[in-house]
Amino acid sequence: VAGVATSIDALAVGVSYSLVETNIWAPALIIALVTTSLCIPAVLLGGRLGHAFSQRAEIAGGLILIGIGVRILVEHL
C-alpha cells in the first residue's frame, strides 16, 4: 500500500511540474541529494545495529509474524 501511495504521489508531483512548466532539474537534484544524505547514514546504522542485535531481532521478528498470523486467524474464525 505504501508503494502504491508513493507512486501516486510521485505521479502527482510530476504532472504538477509539467502543468506549471517549471524546470524539473533543480527539484530533482535537491530530492536526490536529500534522499542520498538520509539513506547512506541509515544503511550504515542499520548494518551496525544488525550485527549488534541480529539474534534478538530475528526472535522479535518471528514473534511479530506469529502474532500477526494469530490475529488474522482469530478475526476469521
Side-chain angles (χ1 to χ4, degrees), residues 4-33:
V4 172
T6 302
S7 297
I8 292 171
D9 181 57
L11 175 67
V13 170
V15 170
S16 298
Y17 275 125
S18 69
L19 293 175
V20 177
E21 296 178 2
T22 186
N23 186 1
I24 191 76
W25 293 106
L29 180 62
I30 292 169
I31 291 168
L33 289 174

Side-chain angles (χ1 to χ4, degrees), residues 8-77:
I8 292 171
D9 181 57
L11 175 67
V13 170
V15 170
S16 298
Y17 275 125
S18 69
L19 293 175
V20 177
E21 296 178 2
T22 186
N23 186 1
I24 191 76
W25 293 106
L29 180 62
I30 292 169
I31 291 168
L33 289 174
V34 169
T35 302
T36 302
S37 67
L38 293 174
C39 285
I40 290 175
V43 168
L44 295 174
L45 179 64
R48 289 184 183 161
L49 291 176
H51 288 297
F53 298 108
S54 63
Q55 183 69 26
R56 292 181 191 153
E58 285 183 24
I59 293 170
L63 291 174
I64 290 170
L65 288 174
I66 291 170
I68 292 170
V70 168
R71 180 178 174 196
I72 291 171
L73 178 65
V74 168
E75 286 178 359
H76 287 91
L77 288 178

